[in-house]
Amino acid sequence: MRVRAPELRGRAWLNTGGKELKLADFRGRVLILDFWTFCCINCLHVLDELRPLEEKYPDVLVVIGVHSPKFEHEKDERALAAAVERYGVEHPVLDDPELQTWQQYAAKAWPTLSVVDPEGYVVASMAGEGHAEGLRKLIEQLIATHEEKGTLHRGDGPFVAPPEANTLLRFPGKALPLADGRLLVSDSARHQLAYLSADLEKVEGRIGSGARGRSDGGPEQASFSEPQGLCLLPPAIAEVAGYDVVVADTVNHLLRGVSLSTGETVTVAGTGQQWRSAIDAHAHDARAIDLSSPWDVAWYQGKVIIAMAGTHTLWWFDPVQRTVGLYAGTTVEALRDGPLPDVWLAQPSGLSVSPDGNRLWFVDSETSALRFVEDGVMGTATGQGLFDFGHVDGPAAEALLQHPLGVHALPGGDVLVADTYNGAIRRYAEGKVSTVDTGLAEPSDIVTAADGRILIVESAAHRIVPLAGTQQDFVGAKHTVKRPPSNLTPGEVTLEVIFEPPPGQKLDFSFGDPTRLEVSASPAELLLDGAGVTTSLSRKLTFNPAVTTGVLQVVAQAATCDAEAEHAACHLTRQDWGVPVVITESGAARLPLILRGLDQSP
C-alpha cells in the first residue's frame, strides 16, 4: 500500500519570502522533509549532509526543514529565525512548535528524514545522521522512474533568501582576550575570526576569506566553516608548534592553528571528515583521525582539551607531539559522573580552567548541566539530565539551566555560566546557583578582558557587552521533555536491534563480526545483567524489579560494503538510543530497535 504524504501544517514559513506553502506546491519534485531542532548537534550535521544534495539536484530536489523544538526557547519564532540564519539554512523551513507535522509523519527522534516522491507519496524515512549516500541513490532512482513516467517536473525551488543584515559581527561564538586589550572573536556566521577593538566598537582586522571552506593560508586566503572555540597556547608551546591560537573549526570537523603575528592559518588536527568509527584510548596522528564538531578548546594540564560536541566526549590534543586522543566519555549521550574516561556527557559546548589550573569546568548543553574534571574524576555541580531544564535559582541540586554554551571560572572558586536559552548569566558559588544578568540574546561565552572587565558574547545580538552584574534570585518554570516510555517486564528481556542495510550494501565480514552493541543504564542499578559491549545485535537483559524507572542507553553499529561494486567502498551505520523505560509486571519481554541505513516504504 502506498502512503500519501500528509499536509504540512505549522505556525509559519521561513525562507519563502512570506509565502505559505502546501504539499501540492512540490508535486513533480523529490521532497525531503528534515525534522530538526536547532539545539541538536546531530540535526546540524544533517544540515551539512544535505547541502551537497541540494547543490547537485537544484531543479528536481526540494528540502523542507520542519522545525520541531525540544527546548522552550526553541519555540520562540524569533529564535528560530536567528537559528536559520546562524546555520546557513538555504531551504524553506516550516515552524512546527506544536509538533503537528512531526506527529503526522510519525517522527520519533531528532533528526528524522522523510522522502516524498513527485506524485506525493512517502517512499522512505530514516532517523539519525549519515544517510547522504543512501539519499543520493534514492534520488537518482526517483528521477529515473518519474522522468520515464512523465511525472517529474524540473524548475526553480521555493527558497527565498532573507535580506542580508549589516552588523559589526554576525552570531559570534567565542572570544579570546589578547594582551593588547583587543579580543579575537569567532565571527561564526561569517566564517571568520575578527579582531575586536578594546572599546568593543570596531573590527580592526579579520582572518578568513568569509566564504565557507577549509583552505589554509594567509588572512585573506584561509577559510573556515562556522568556527567556535579559541585557545591561546603558552608561549613556549606556541614557539615549538609554530602558531599561537588553536581554533575549533566546528563544521569542518577540524582544529586550525593561527599565528597572531602573520594571520597565517594551518590545519593541525582532523581530516575534514566527520568521525563515524569506534573510539579508543590510544594516541593518534592528529592529521589522520576524524573529528566531530569540536565546539570549544582550552589549555589544561599540558594539552588542549577539546569539547567534542558531535560525539558527546572530551578529547585532548598535543600541539608538540601532534597527536590527539580521547580524554573523557564513551559517546553515550547522558549524564554520569566518575573516573575518566568511563563517564557520560551530552554535547559539551564550553570549557574554562580554574585560575589555579587544577579544575576543568565545562557545560553540557543537552543535559543543561555545569560539570567539572579534577584529579581524573568527573563531577556535576548542577544539572539533572537530558529531559529536565528551566530557569530556577537556589541549591545546586535543585537549580535548573537551559542549554548553556559558555562557562568562565573566576578567582576564588565562583563560576559564571552563559545560560544560553534562558538569555541569562548564572553564577555557581558555594553550592548555590543565582542569576546575575538577564534579557540577553543567546549568550554563548564569558571572558575576562585584559583590563579586568567581564565580557559577554551576546551571540544573537551580534555583539560583545560588559556584564551588568545585578544579582537577583530567579524562580522560573521547570520544564520536562515528555517522551513515552517503553513498558518492560522485570527480569529477563530480549533486546533485539534489527539492522536493515542501505540499498546496494551488505554486511562486511572481512574482519570478523561487523556489528557492535553497547548497553548501559541510568541509574546503573536498573540493569542487573546485560550491560557492556558485544558483537551481537541481540542480547538478554535482566531488569531490576526494585528500580521502576530509568533510561536504557543503547549504541548499535554495523559495518557494510557495496554489494556489487568491483572496488567496494566500506560504510558504517550507527545509531544511539536513550530509551525511557518503566518496569512493570504487565510490561513486554522484548525490546526491538531498528538500525536503518535507509528505510524504504512499500
Side-chain angles (χ1 to χ4, degrees), residues 84 219 225 368 370 401 431 445 465 567 581 584 591:
V84 168
S225 186
S368 299
L370 171 64
L401 312 172
D445 199 15
V465 295
H567 302 288
V581 298
T584 172
L591 177 61

Side-chain angles (χ1 to χ4, degrees), residues 63-268:
V63 175
I64 300 293
V66 182
H67 187 262
S68 311
K70 170 187 173 181
F71 287 100
E72 284 297 303
H73 176 69
E74 293 174 299
K75 297 179 181 179
D76 186 312
E77 53 194 320
R78 294 168 300 178
L80 173 57
V84 168
E85 181 190 351
R86 178 196 297 270
Y87 297 119
V89 179
E90 295 186 351
H91 53 246
V93 173
L94 174 62
D95 183 6
D96 184 27
E98 301 304 320
L99 307 186
Q100 291 175 282
T101 299
W102 164 281
Q103 293 169 358
Q104 286 294 310
Y105 281 81
K108 292 182 174 62
W110 294 286
T112 291
L113 298 169
S114 291
V115 182
V116 180
D117 74 9
E119 294 180 289
Y121 292 93
V122 178
V123 295
S125 64
M126 61 218 74
E129 55 183 284
H131 300 294
E133 180 59 20
L135 283 169
R136 185 194 64 78
K137 292 179 179 179
L138 179 56
I139 292 167
E140 292 282 0
Q141 293 171 7
L142 291 172
I143 290 173
T145 298
H146 289 275
E147 274 192 323
E148 185 176 345
K149 293 175 66 175
T151 50
L152 186 75
H153 306 303
R154 298 177 182 270
D156 294 333
F159 170 68
V160 177
E164 290 190 18
N166 183 24
T167 55
L168 192 66
L169 302 169
R170 205 69 193 160
F171 296 105
K174 306 289 184 181
L176 175 66
L178 301 176
D180 61 8
R182 297 183 300 167
L183 295 177
L184 184 64
V185 180
S186 55
D187 199 2
S188 299
R190 291 198 174 119
H191 314 296
Q192 293 176 318
L193 309 182
Y195 287 102
L196 191 64
S197 60
D199 62 7
L200 312 178
E201 298 293 333
K202 300 183 294 295
V203 169
E204 297 182 348
R206 291 183 176 274
I207 298 174
S209 65
R212 189 188 293 270
R214 61 179 66 161
S215 299
D216 290 344
E220 296 179 357
Q221 290 76 40
S223 56
F224 302 87
S225 186
E226 299 177 33
Q228 287 286 336
L230 306 164
C231 171
L232 186 67
L233 295 177
I237 301 297
E239 184 176 358
V240 175
Y243 51 87
D244 305 290
V245 176
V246 176
V247 181
D249 193 4
T250 304
V251 175
N252 277 330
H253 310 296
L254 297 174
L255 296 186
R256 316 293 291 280
V258 172
S259 167
L260 292 177
S261 61
T262 66
E264 187 80 15
T265 297
V266 295
T267 299
V268 299

Side-chain angles (χ1 to χ4, degrees), residues 346-369:
Q347 208 167 306
S349 302
L351 301 168
S352 182
V353 178
S354 60
D356 62 10
N358 292 329
R359 177 170 284 193
L360 173 71
W361 289 94
F362 70 98
V363 282
D364 252 358
S365 59
E366 283 296 286
T367 53
S368 299

Side-chain angles (χ1 to χ4, degrees), residues 442-456:
E442 297 189 4
S444 58
D445 199 15
I446 309 166
V447 297
T448 298
D451 61 6
R453 291 177 299 162
I454 295 177
L455 303 177
I456 309 302

